[in-house]
Amino acid sequence: MNKFVGIGNLGRDCELRFTKDGTPVATINLAMNETWTGKDGEKHEKTEWLRCVIWSKAAEALAPFLLKGKQVAVEGKIQTRKWEDKDGNDKYATECRVDRVVLLGSKDGGGRRRQDEDEIPVNEPEPAAAQ
């Protein structure tokens, strides 16, 4: 089963672009923090970053709300893309293809809205031309 669920803060504003056929694509960088206390009593923190991609109408609808520092929950699938750079070298990127987004608030806890406005399903399949 390929299922990813993550909660984190956006590291920068959403980047909205369009494919050649006009399909909206939004990209976000999700920072997920983990904190723990070591055996020595010291507190530790680690941040994992994940690029997340949102397709179609949901990308366009969400883009104005996906701003740096905003806390979101995402559900989706992990995928790895491969391409060749201009020198012919293979390049890889691992990212989350988002199926669902929940707007949780900001880094400092502000801006909670009604549940039916916060949860946004992303059910449209990625267009074949964009794959």
Side-chain angles (χ1 to χ4, degrees):
M1 177 166 65
N2 183 355
K3 177 82 168 176
F4 171 80
V5 178
I7 296 175
N9 294 72
L10 302 183
R12 62 183 168 101
D13 290 353
C14 171
E15 176 186 322
L16 180 64
R17 58 185 173 78
F18 296 85
T19 63
K20 290 178 185 177
D21 69 354
T23 303
V25 182
T27 304
I28 57 174
N29 290 318
L30 189 64
M32 298 165 288
N33 297 318
E34 177 183 5
T35 56
W36 71 94
T37 303
K39 292 179 181 178
D40 57 1
E42 292 284 322
K43 289 191 176 187
H44 302 274
E45 183 173 339
K46 180 180 179 182
T47 302
E48 290 291 336
W49 289 89
L50 183 63
R51 175 184 163 106
C52 300
V53 181
I54 306 163
W55 286 90
S56 299
K57 293 176 188 172
E60 212 166 7
L62 283 167
F65 304 101
L66 297 174
L67 303 174
K68 182 177 180 175
K70 182 77 173 171
Q71 186 180 48
V72 298
V74 298
E75 289 183 22
K77 298 174 180 78
I78 298 295
Q79 64 183 20
T80 301
R81 294 182 296 113
K82 177 185 173 186
W83 71 96
E84 283 187 14
D85 68 9
K86 61 183 178 183
D87 299 324
N89 299 314
D90 288 343
K91 298 289 182 178
Y92 299 89
T94 300
E95 58 197 15
C96 176
R97 174 154 173 213
V98 175
D99 295 322
R100 185 169 164 240
V101 175
V102 180
L103 305 174
L104 298 175
S106 65
K107 186 161 63 172
D108 49 0
R112 186 77 178 136
R113 299 184 310 170
R114 290 190 343 241
Q115 177 66 21
D116 62 339
E117 293 176 339
D118 290 348
E119 193 171 309
I120 299 154
V122 183
N123 295 323
E124 297 183 39
E126 179 178 345
Q131 290 181 358

Coordinates of all heavy atoms in Angstrom, one line a residue, residues 13-56:
D13 N 5.7 30.0 0.2 CA 4.4 30.1 -0.5 C 4.3 29.1 -1.6 O 5.3 28.7 -2.2 CB 4.2 31.5 -1.1 CG 4.0 32.6 -0.1 OD1 3.9 32.3 1.1 OD2 4.0 33.8 -0.5
C14 N 3.1 28.6 -1.8 CA 2.8 27.7 -2.9 C 3.2 28.2 -4.2 O 3.1 29.4 -4.5 CB 1.3 27.5 -2.9 SG 0.6 26.5 -4.3
E15 N 3.7 27.4 -5.1 CA 4.1 27.7 -6.4 C 3.0 27.1 -7.4 O 2.9 25.9 -7.5 CB 5.5 27.2 -6.8 CG 5.9 27.4 -8.2 CD 7.2 26.7 -8.6 OE1 8.1 26.7 -7.7 OE2 7.3 26.2 -9.7
L16 N 2.3 28.0 -8.1 CA 1.2 27.6 -9.0 C 1.7 27.8 -10.4 O 2.2 28.9 -10.7 CB -0.1 28.3 -8.8 CG -1.2 28.0 -9.7 CD1 -1.7 26.5 -9.4 CD2 -2.4 29.0 -9.5
R17 N 1.7 26.7 -11.2 CA 2.0 26.8 -12.6 C 1.0 26.0 -13.4 O 0.1 25.4 -12.8 CB 3.5 26.3 -12.8 CG 3.7 24.9 -12.4 CD 5.2 24.5 -12.6 NE 5.4 23.2 -12.0 CZ 5.1 22.1 -12.6 NH1 4.6 22.1 -13.8 NH2 5.4 20.9 -12.0
F18 N 1.2 26.0 -14.7 CA 0.2 25.3 -15.6 C 1.0 24.5 -16.6 O 2.1 24.9 -17.1 CB -0.7 26.3 -16.3 CG -1.5 27.1 -15.4 CD1 -1.1 28.2 -14.7 CD2 -2.8 26.7 -15.1 CE1 -1.9 29.0 -13.9 CE2 -3.6 27.4 -14.2 CZ -3.1 28.5 -13.6
T19 N 0.5 23.3 -16.9 CA 1.1 22.4 -17.9 C 0.9 23.0 -19.3 O 0.1 24.0 -19.4 CB 0.6 21.0 -17.8 OG1 -0.8 21.0 -18.2 CG2 0.8 20.4 -16.5
K20 N 1.5 22.5 -20.3 CA 1.3 23.0 -21.7 C -0.2 22.9 -22.1 O -0.6 23.8 -22.9 CB 2.1 22.1 -22.7 CG 3.6 22.4 -22.5 CD 4.4 21.5 -23.5 CE 5.8 21.7 -23.2 NZ 6.7 20.8 -24.1
D21 N -1.0 22.0 -21.6 CA -2.4 21.9 -21.9 C -3.3 22.7 -21.0 O -4.5 22.6 -21.1 CB -2.9 20.4 -22.0 CG -2.9 19.7 -20.6 OD1 -2.5 20.3 -19.6 OD2 -3.4 18.6 -20.6
G22 N -2.7 23.5 -20.1 CA -3.4 24.4 -19.2 C -3.9 23.8 -17.9 O -4.6 24.4 -17.1
T23 N -3.4 22.6 -17.5 CA -3.8 22.0 -16.2 C -3.0 22.6 -15.1 O -1.8 22.7 -15.1 CB -3.5 20.5 -16.2 OG1 -4.2 19.9 -17.3 CG2 -3.9 19.8 -14.9
P24 N -3.7 23.1 -14.0 CA -3.0 23.7 -12.9 C -2.2 22.7 -12.1 O -2.7 21.6 -11.9 CB -4.1 24.3 -12.1 CG -5.4 24.3 -12.9 CD -5.2 23.2 -13.9
V25 N -1.0 23.1 -11.6 CA -0.2 22.3 -10.8 C 0.3 23.2 -9.7 O 1.0 24.2 -9.9 CB 1.0 21.6 -11.5 CG1 1.8 20.8 -10.6 CG2 0.5 20.9 -12.7
A26 N 0.1 22.8 -8.4 CA 0.6 23.5 -7.3 C 1.7 22.7 -6.5 O 1.5 21.5 -6.4 CB -0.5 23.9 -6.3
T27 N 2.8 23.3 -6.2 CA 3.8 22.7 -5.5 C 4.0 23.4 -4.1 O 4.1 24.6 -4.0 CB 5.1 22.7 -6.3 OG1 4.9 22.2 -7.6 CG2 6.2 22.0 -5.6
I28 N 4.1 22.5 -3.1 CA 4.4 23.1 -1.7 C 5.6 22.3 -1.1 O 5.8 21.1 -1.5 CB 3.2 23.0 -0.8 CG1 2.6 21.5 -0.7 CG2 2.1 23.9 -1.3 CD1 1.5 21.4 0.4
N29 N 6.3 22.9 -0.2 CA 7.3 22.3 0.5 C 6.9 22.2 2.0 O 6.7 23.2 2.7 CB 8.6 23.0 0.4 CG 9.2 22.9 -1.0 OD1 9.2 21.9 -1.6 ND2 9.7 24.1 -1.5
L30 N 6.7 20.9 2.4 CA 6.2 20.7 3.8 C 7.3 20.3 4.7 O 8.1 19.4 4.5 CB 5.2 19.5 3.7 CG 4.4 19.2 4.9 CD1 3.4 20.3 5.2 CD2 3.6 17.9 4.7
A31 N 7.4 21.1 5.8 CA 8.4 20.9 6.9 C 7.7 20.1 8.0 O 6.7 20.7 8.6 CB 8.9 22.2 7.4
M32 N 8.1 18.9 8.3 CA 7.5 18.1 9.4 C 8.5 18.0 10.5 O 9.6 17.5 10.3 CB 7.1 16.7 8.8 CG 6.1 16.9 7.7 SD 5.9 15.3 6.8 CE 7.4 15.3 5.8
N33 N 8.2 18.5 11.7 CA 9.1 18.5 12.8 C 8.9 17.3 13.7 O 7.8 16.9 14.0 CB 8.9 19.8 13.6 CG 9.3 21.0 12.8 OD1 10.3 21.0 12.0 ND2 8.5 22.1 12.9
E34 N 10.0 16.8 14.3 CA 10.0 15.8 15.2 C 10.8 16.2 16.4 O 11.9 16.7 16.2 CB 10.5 14.5 14.6 CG 10.6 13.3 15.6 CD 11.3 12.1 15.0 OE1 11.8 12.2 13.8 OE2 11.4 11.1 15.7
T35 N 10.3 16.1 17.6 CA 11.0 16.5 18.8 C 11.1 15.3 19.8 O 10.1 14.5 19.9 CB 10.4 17.7 19.5 OG1 9.1 17.5 19.8 CG2 10.5 19.0 18.6
W36 N 12.1 15.2 20.5 CA 12.3 14.1 21.5 C 13.3 14.5 22.5 O 14.1 15.4 22.3 CB 12.6 12.8 20.8 CG 14.0 12.7 20.3 CD1 15.1 12.2 20.9 CD2 14.5 13.2 19.0 NE1 16.2 12.3 20.1 CE2 15.9 12.9 18.9 CE3 13.9 13.8 17.9 CZ2 16.6 13.2 17.8 CZ3 14.6 14.1 16.8 CH2 16.0 13.8 16.8
T37 N 13.3 13.8 23.6 CA 14.2 14.0 24.7 C 15.2 12.8 24.7 O 14.7 11.7 24.8 CB 13.6 14.2 26.1 OG1 12.6 15.2 26.0 CG2 14.6 14.4 27.2
G38 N 16.5 13.1 24.6 CA 17.5 12.0 24.5 C 17.7 11.4 25.9 O 17.2 11.9 26.9
K39 N 18.5 10.3 26.0 CA 18.8 9.7 27.2 C 19.5 10.6 28.2 O 19.4 10.4 29.4 CB 19.6 8.4 27.0 CG 18.9 7.3 26.3 CD 19.8 6.1 26.0 CE 19.1 5.1 25.3 NZ 19.9 3.9 25.0
D40 N 20.2 11.6 27.6 CA 20.9 12.6 28.5 C 20.0 13.7 29.0 O 20.5 14.6 29.7 CB 22.1 13.1 27.7 CG 21.6 13.8 26.4 OD1 20.4 13.8 26.1 OD2 22.5 14.3 25.6
G41 N 18.7 13.7 28.6 CA 17.8 14.7 29.1 C 17.7 15.9 28.2 O 16.9 16.8 28.4
E42 N 18.6 15.9 27.1 CA 18.6 17.0 26.2 C 17.4 16.9 25.2 O 17.1 15.8 24.8 CB 19.9 17.0 25.4 CG 21.1 17.4 26.2 CD 21.2 18.9 26.6 OE1 20.9 19.7 25.7 OE2 21.6 19.2 27.7
K43 N 16.8 18.0 24.9 CA 15.8 18.0 23.9 C 16.4 18.1 22.5 O 17.3 18.9 22.3 CB 14.8 19.2 24.1 CG 13.9 19.0 25.3 CD 12.8 20.0 25.4 CE 11.9 19.6 26.5 NZ 10.7 20.4 26.6
H44 N 15.9 17.4 21.5 CA 16.4 17.4 20.2 C 15.2 17.6 19.2 O 14.0 17.3 19.5 CB 17.0 16.0 19.8 CG 18.1 15.6 20.7 ND1 19.4 16.0 20.5 CD2 18.1 14.9 21.9 CE1 20.1 15.5 21.5 NE2 19.4 14.8 22.3
E45 N 15.5 18.2 18.1 CA 14.5 18.4 17.1 C 15.1 18.2 15.7 O 16.3 18.5 15.4 CB 14.0 19.9 17.1 CG 12.9 20.2 16.1 CD 12.3 21.6 16.3 OE1 12.4 22.2 17.3 OE2 11.7 22.0 15.3
K46 N 14.3 17.5 14.9 CA 14.7 17.2 13.5 C 13.6 17.6 12.6 O 12.4 17.4 12.9 CB 15.0 15.7 13.4 CG 15.4 15.3 12.0 CD 15.7 13.8 11.9 CE 16.1 13.4 10.5 NZ 16.4 12.0 10.4
T47 N 13.9 18.2 11.4 CA 12.9 18.6 10.4 C 13.1 17.8 9.2 O 14.2 17.8 8.6 CB 13.0 20.1 10.1 OG1 12.8 20.8 11.4 CG2 11.9 20.5 9.1
E48 N 12.1 17.2 8.7 CA 12.1 16.5 7.4 C 11.3 17.3 6.4 O 10.2 17.8 6.8 CB 11.5 15.1 7.5 CG 12.3 14.1 8.3 CD 13.5 13.7 7.6 OE1 13.7 13.8 6.3 OE2 14.5 13.2 8.3
W49 N 11.8 17.5 5.2 CA 11.2 18.3 4.2 C 10.6 17.3 3.1 O 11.3 16.4 2.7 CB 12.1 19.3 3.6 CG 12.5 20.4 4.5 CD1 13.5 20.4 5.4 CD2 11.8 21.6 4.6 NE1 13.5 21.6 6.0 CE2 12.5 22.4 5.6 CE3 10.7 22.2 4.0 CZ2 12.1 23.7 5.9 CZ3 10.3 23.5 4.3 CH2 11.0 24.2 5.3
L50 N 9.4 17.6 2.6 CA 8.9 16.8 1.5 C 8.2 17.8 0.5 O 7.3 18.6 0.9 CB 7.9 15.8 2.0 CG 7.3 14.9 1.0 CD1 8.3 14.0 0.3 CD2 6.2 14.0 1.6
R51 N 8.5 17.6 -0.7 CA 7.8 18.3 -1.8 C 6.5 17.6 -2.1 O 6.5 16.4 -2.2 CB 8.7 18.3 -3.0 CG 8.1 18.9 -4.3 CD 9.1 18.7 -5.4 NE 8.4 18.9 -6.7 CZ 8.6 20.0 -7.5 NH1 9.4 20.9 -7.1 NH2 7.9 20.1 -8.6
C52 N 5.4 18.4 -2.1 CA 4.1 17.9 -2.4 C 3.5 18.6 -3.6 O 3.6 19.8 -3.8 CB 3.2 18.1 -1.2 SG 3.8 17.4 0.4
V53 N 2.8 17.8 -4.4 CA 2.3 18.3 -5.7 C 0.8 18.1 -5.7 O 0.3 17.0 -5.4 CB 2.9 17.6 -6.9 CG1 2.3 18.1 -8.2 CG2 4.4 17.7 -6.8
I54 N 0.0 19.1 -6.0 CA -1.4 19.1 -6.1 C -1.8 19.4 -7.5 O -1.3 20.4 -8.1 CB -2.0 20.2 -5.1 CG1 -1.5 20.0 -3.7 CG2 -3.6 20.1 -5.1 CD1 -1.7 21.1 -2.8
W55 N -2.7 18.6 -8.1 CA -3.1 18.8 -9.5 C -4.5 19.3 -9.6 O -5.4 19.2 -8.8 CB -3.1 17.4 -10.2 CG -1.7 17.0 -10.4 CD1 -0.9 16.2 -9.6 CD2 -0.9 17.3 -11.6 NE1 0.3 16.0 -10.2 CE2 0.4 16.7 -11.4 CE3 -1.1 18.0 -12.7 CZ2 1.4 16.7 -12.3 CZ3 -0.1 18.1 -13.7 CH2 1.1 17.5 -13.5
S56 N -4.8 19.9 -10.8 CA -6.1 20.3 -11.3 C -6.7 21.4 -10.6 O -6.1 22.3 -10.1 CB -7.0 19.1 -11.5 OG -6.4 18.1 -12.3

